[in-house]
Amino acid sequence: MPCELKPRFLVLYGSQKGQAQSIAEGIADEAEERGLFADICCLSEGHKVKLSKTKYSPVVFVVSTTGDGDPPDTAQKFVKRIKKKTLPRDLYAHLCYAFLALGDTNYADFCKCGKTIDSRLLDLGAKRFYATGHADDGVGLELVLDPWLEGLWEAIREALSKMAAPQPERDGHVRDQRVSSNETPESSATDIKLHLLSLNESESQITKSLTTAASAKTDSLAVLASETGSSVNDLASLTRSLPPLSELALNIPALPPPYLDVMLQEATIEEEINAPVSKETLHEVPISRAVQLTRDDSVKTALLIEMDISSHPMAYQPGDSLDVLCPNRASEVGELLRRLGLEDQKSNRIQLSLQKETMKKTAQIPSYIPENSTLHYLLTWSLEIRTVPKKAFLRSLVECTGDSGEKRRLQELCSKQGSADYNLYVRDHNLGLLDLLTAFPACQPPLSLLIEHLPKLQPRPYSAASSSLRHPGRLHFVFNIIEFPACAGRPVGRRGLCTGWLSDLVDPILVHPGKAQSSSTPALPKVSRGNCSFRLPSDLSKPFIMIGPGTGVAPFIGFLQQREKEREENPEAEFSETWLFFGCRHRDRDFLFREELQGFVASGTLTHLKVSFSRDTPEGTETQTETGPRYVQHNLLSHAKDIVNLLLKENGYLYVCGDAKNMAKDVNDTLIEMVSAELQLDKLDAMKRLAGLREEKRYLQDIWS
């Protein structure tokens, strides 16, 4: 008897750091359990799947956005191809699809890549069979992802059914049953409600409501605590839930299929503990100098590191960034080894192989784990052990504990009903695997599970704070030492992984008041990464405006060093205005590069320096301090006419560097207000003018969350 063919569809993904790929693989794996067959392919392998002639339908896209609204590396060629204006308008008329876009509302161009592809597919004749989802990593992907996935399966079946069963028209001709681009199946529209919100609502409404929903748990606990005279932590915690959650039947995700076998063999080679993952792309570069830029009584500690790149092919431009690959902390690696019961085998070599009977369709051995790695090397240099575990990982941990209470709580945290608790106790506190294993002592995961679920240890990017014209053979970068305070689930505070490591690394040579410089020079593993869009205007006569509070000023120091040397070398050239809006807490504690900035003003390199000190004032004044405007956006408003004129009438450039979550948003809102007021435009038209600057690459951001 012949085998029954399963209904077939295609999953395509574009991923930068693995999230979109992981979701796409999860869809492909779950399809098998639902009696469907899913082919899966990366958009970078488009040659394997000709969408314009594809035999697959429907198609499910999962695509992330990276950088300043850019496509992920794996989707760049695809985006470039479908944006061609010469493509026929019916190129994808045969195609019906669903789209999940991943983004972060802390950044201005939320889900830009996904929206671009989605829009172009429609332009080229494709039809949606399911409402597009925009998942926001700023508030938790799960808030949109979970209900979107829940409704996807019925929508796929309905689309397959319509395609397989065309209905005859009255005149005897067959009518095409594909879903039209402006039509969403009724069942799908019902299934995709998100906390009583439809995907068709505006993104700002959704984001606001989701954020409110996520914080509702905290508010209700606070009220209950007040009524009972208890503290919130007495009532609920990472390890303990309250009714109604503790009494509900739970909808938990499917168990991710295991796919790796791990063997530990006694090492026959000596471990190179400080070796980077790939010696082809990483260099150990000497640190020639390290300086503390802030006073000891500053709220944040900012350090400048100077690297000697004279012996390395490390050409860079102001505005570029470099990626620093740091190891996981030795104490955390040791604790994880102890927790796994593998302390005595840390020097053993790891051998990985795929399980022969695995149900995971896309199973492959992680390419970022070098052959002959020791266990210690793996946990030190290959895996991101501090990453916040995703719900799929929590679901797998459920099977690794024999304690019924722990099992139930882990089920709650990965369930649909426990989303608020997951965000409140895991995601918002930035808890990692070690934190969870400490909280759930009966949980004993195998090493294979960690390798399957923990992502690659990623380098951390830092903006270059120098120009090679001013400092040949040297590269500077600046950072604040990140501090994570103690919280529920993490009783002891900790420092950021990379900034804490860098601080320890340079401590012997660190220059700050009261301490002499040492002659030792530690080495720094790192890889350079060019940010090719965050660059000075090539036309020396174009004005530019820089907005960079705190360490966000770093790339602008490089800009100004470069411009100063250009002025010296081109005395007859015409140079236009330069503006810098800088902000910090206190004039005398954390005014970074104060003397150098004042020197740029004195030389005429920097035309206007506008500084804000947010804490040099008594409490109660919102926009002004004793020394001027409180924040950079208030200083911008004070010079609205000049700024708008430079940007929109003199074709100037605007650069913003710093915190995405608050500063960059506030600056963008202020710019909209300024353009609206100065040009007498409504808010929508003002937003369009700024969007035009972005398209022309004259409004550029180098921001982080």
Side-chain angles (χ1 to χ4, degrees):
M1 184 174 178
C3 295
E4 181 181 354
L5 292 177
K6 295 180 179 180
R8 193 180 192 117
F9 69 98
L10 173 65
V11 183
L12 293 174
Y13 66 86
S15 187
Q16 185 71 22
K17 294 187 177 180
Q19 287 203 107
Q21 179 178 350
S22 177
I23 293 169
E25 291 175 350
I27 292 172
D29 290 338
E30 190 170 346
E32 192 79 19
E33 300 173 14
R34 293 177 176 269
L36 302 170
F37 186 88
D39 291 284
I40 182 170
C41 187
C42 179
L43 285 171
S44 64
E45 301 175 315
H47 58 280
K48 295 182 180 179
V49 180
K50 299 292 186 182
L51 277 184
S52 57
K53 301 177 181 178
T54 182
K55 61 184 177 180
Y56 303 105
S57 202
V59 178
V60 177
F61 289 85
V62 184
V63 182
S64 64
T65 294
T66 188
D68 193 13
D70 301 319
D73 293 341
T74 55
Q76 285 184 359
K77 289 184 179 179
F78 179 78
V79 172
K80 183 178 181 179
R81 187 164 61 248
I82 66 170
K83 288 176 73 174
K84 292 180 179 177
K85 300 299 182 182
T86 56
L87 295 175
R89 306 299 292 180
D90 61 349
L91 180 66
Y92 295 137
H94 60 287
L95 194 69
C96 67
Y97 74 96
F99 207 104
L100 177 66
L102 310 183
D104 188 331
T105 48
N106 289 320
Y107 297 82
D109 289 316
F110 175 60
C111 288
K112 182 179 179 181
C113 178
K115 292 176 181 177
T116 297
I117 296 175
D118 190 16
S119 176
R120 282 301 288 161
L121 289 174
L122 295 176
D123 291 343
L124 298 172
K127 290 93 177 172
R128 287 197 198 109
F129 70 84
Y130 187 48
T132 295
H134 298 104
D136 180 11
D137 202 27
V139 296
L141 294 175
E142 297 82 6
L143 293 171
V144 167
L145 175 61
D146 289 353
W148 190 88
L149 290 175
E150 185 178 346
L152 175 66
W153 301 106
E154 185 175 345
I156 288 177
R157 289 190 180 280
E158 186 170 334
L160 285 166
S161 176
K162 287 188 175 184
M163 292 168 55
Q167 299 175 2
E169 296 279 2
R170 291 181 182 178
D171 61 1
H173 290 88
V174 174
R175 181 168 66 88
D176 190 347
Q177 290 298 301
R178 289 177 298 217
V179 182
S180 69
S181 60
N182 58 1
E183 174 187 351
T184 300
E186 184 176 343
S187 61
S188 300
T190 302
D191 288 336
I192 203 168
K193 295 292 182 179
L194 306 178
H195 300 281
L196 305 181
L197 288 169
S198 167
L199 277 175
N200 293 324
E201 293 190 62
S202 71
E203 286 162 5
S204 60
Q205 287 177 303
I206 292 176
T207 301
K208 181 178 179 181
S209 299
L210 291 176
T211 304
T212 301
S215 63
K217 179 81 174 181
T218 306
D219 295 339
S220 61
L221 288 175
V223 170
L224 184 58
S226 175
E227 291 174 350
T228 60
S230 305
S231 71
V232 170
N233 289 334
D234 290 335
L235 299 170
S237 67
L238 172 65
T239 57
R240 179 173 54 192
S241 64
L242 291 174
L245 178 59
S246 61
E247 299 171 350
L248 290 176
L250 301 173
N251 298 103
I252 62 175
L255 180 66
Y259 63 93
L260 286 178
D261 282 328
V262 180
M263 289 184 60
L264 292 174
Q265 294 187 340
E266 188 172 341
T268 57
I269 58 173
E270 184 178 349
E271 178 187 11
E272 298 179 46
I273 185 62
N274 290 321
V277 171
S278 173
K279 293 185 178 180
E280 294 180 359
T281 57
L282 295 172
H283 310 276
E284 287 194 346
V285 180
I287 295 174
S288 52
R289 189 165 61 101
V291 181
Q292 181 173 313
L293 301 178
T294 50
R295 268 184 12 188
D296 288 340
D297 58 352
S298 177
V299 174
K300 295 181 178 180
T301 300
L303 304 184
L304 177 144
I305 288 180
E306 178 183 85
M307 298 190 304
D308 181 355
I309 61 172
S310 58
S311 301
H312 300 274
M314 290 285 300
Y316 71 97
Q317 294 290 324
D320 287 354
S321 60
L322 65 144
D323 287 349
V324 176
L325 180 63
C326 66
N328 289 309
R329 291 193 71 82
S331 59
E332 295 174 18
V333 171
E335 175 59 22
L336 187 55
L337 285 167
R338 186 198 66 77
R339 189 68 174 74
L340 297 174
L342 297 173
E343 286 176 292
D344 296 338
Q345 301 178 67
K346 68 179 183 180
S347 296
N348 287 12
R349 288 187 296 116
I350 293 176
Q351 284 199 336
L352 301 177
S353 59
L354 296 179
Q355 294 182 5
K356 293 181 179 179
E357 305 299 325
T358 182
M359 299 297 292
K360 185 174 177 64
K361 289 178 59 62
T362 57
Q364 58 183 348
I365 296 173
S367 60
Y368 47 85
I369 298 177
E371 293 184 10
N372 295 323
S373 295
T374 65
L375 175 57
H376 190 274
Y377 181 95
L378 172 84
L379 297 179
T380 302
W381 289 102
S382 299
L383 301 180
E384 188 90 57
I385 65 176
R386 277 197 186 181
T387 192
V388 176
K390 293 182 170 56
K391 286 187 174 183
F393 196 1
L394 297 185
R395 174 63 185 88
S396 294
L397 291 178
V398 169
E399 308 303 314
C400 301
T401 177
D403 183 273
S404 59
E406 289 188 8
K407 186 181 291 286
R408 167 69 191 194
R409 185 52 174 156
L410 287 169
Q411 288 174 332
E412 290 172 351
L413 291 171
C414 72
S415 70
K416 176 182 177 181
Q417 293 80 3
S419 288
D421 273 27
Y422 172 80
N423 284 327
L424 180 61
Y425 297 118
V426 180
R427 184 179 183 276
D428 292 351
H429 288 319
N430 210 33
L431 299 189
L433 175 63
L434 264 178
D435 300 317
L436 290 179
L437 293 182
T438 300
F440 297 93
C443 186
Q444 296 288 336
L447 176 62
S448 59
L449 197 67
L450 273 63
I451 301 174
E452 290 172 354
H453 286 274
L454 291 176
K456 175 185 178 182
L457 180 61
Q458 296 284 353
R460 272 54 173 175
Y462 295 93
S463 300
S466 57
S467 164
S468 58
L469 294 182
R470 167 75 75 82
H471 299 284
R474 298 289 188 270
L475 190 154
H476 298 177
F477 67 97
V478 177
F479 60 92
N480 283 326
I481 301 175
I482 304 300
E483 301 283 352
F484 294 101
C487 63
R490 185 175 58 244
V492 179
R494 69 185 185 204
R495 296 186 299 177
L497 181 62
C498 194
T499 62
W501 176 70
L502 287 169
S503 175
D504 291 341
L505 192 67
V506 302
D507 185 64
I509 64 168
L510 185 64
V511 177
H512 62 91
K515 186 174 182 180
Q517 182 175 1
S518 167
S519 59
S520 61
T521 55
L524 172 64
K526 68 107 179 84
V527 55
S528 65
R529 175 179 63 88
N531 181 344
C532 296
S533 62
F534 204 77
R535 295 277 179 83
L536 281 165
S538 57
D539 186 343
L540 300 179
S541 67
K542 295 297 182 184
F544 60 92
I545 301 149
M546 302 164 285
I547 304 171
T551 56
V553 75
F556 304 136
I557 297 300
F559 278 18
L560 293 168
Q561 289 178 359
Q562 182 92 354
R563 180 51 55 94
E564 187 171 62
K565 295 296 289 186
E566 289 171 342
R567 286 167 60 89
E568 293 174 3
E569 296 171 0
N570 301 276
E572 305 301 321
E574 178 187 352
F575 291 87
S576 191
E577 292 183 59
T578 55
W579 292 63
L580 173 63
F581 291 85
F582 174 76
C584 59
R585 286 177 171 81
H586 301 281
R587 176 187 292 273
D588 297 325
R589 299 184 196 176
D590 52 6
F591 189 166
L592 308 184
F593 301 102
R594 179 176 180 173
E595 293 182 1
E596 188 165 3
L597 289 172
Q598 291 172 343
F600 290 136
V601 173
S603 70
T605 303
L606 179 58
T607 317
H608 303 278
L609 174 60
K610 305 298 178 184
V611 186
S612 308
F613 305 104
S614 62
R615 300 299 187 270
D616 283 346
T617 179
E619 293 294 328
T621 55
E622 295 186 359
T623 63
Q624 292 288 322
T625 70
E626 294 174 352
T627 55
R630 179 182 286 272
Y631 297 114
V632 289
Q633 60 266 30
H634 303 139
N635 234 333
L636 281 169
L637 281 172
S638 300
H639 301 86
K641 185 175 182 178
D642 291 327
I643 299 304
V644 172
N645 181 67
L646 289 173
L647 290 177
L648 300 179
K649 295 183 179 179
E650 297 188 27
N651 295 320
Y653 288 71
L654 176 69
Y655 302 89
V656 180
C657 183
D659 167 46
K661 193 169 187 178
N662 298 305
M663 182 278 296
K665 280 185 175 181
D666 291 341
V667 165
N668 191 69
D669 290 344
T670 301
L671 291 169
I672 293 171
E673 181 183 346
M674 291 162 54
V675 172
S676 177
E678 293 300 320
L679 301 184
Q680 299 297 298
L681 300 174
D682 61 27
K683 183 177 180 180
L684 181 59
D685 286 336
M687 292 171 68
K688 289 180 179 178
R689 295 298 293 269
L690 288 177
L693 291 180
R694 291 182 185 276
E695 290 296 322
E696 296 170 16
K697 299 298 182 183
R698 292 197 294 117
Y699 179 179
L700 300 171
Q701 293 181 311
D702 179 5
I703 55 179
W704 55 84
S705 58

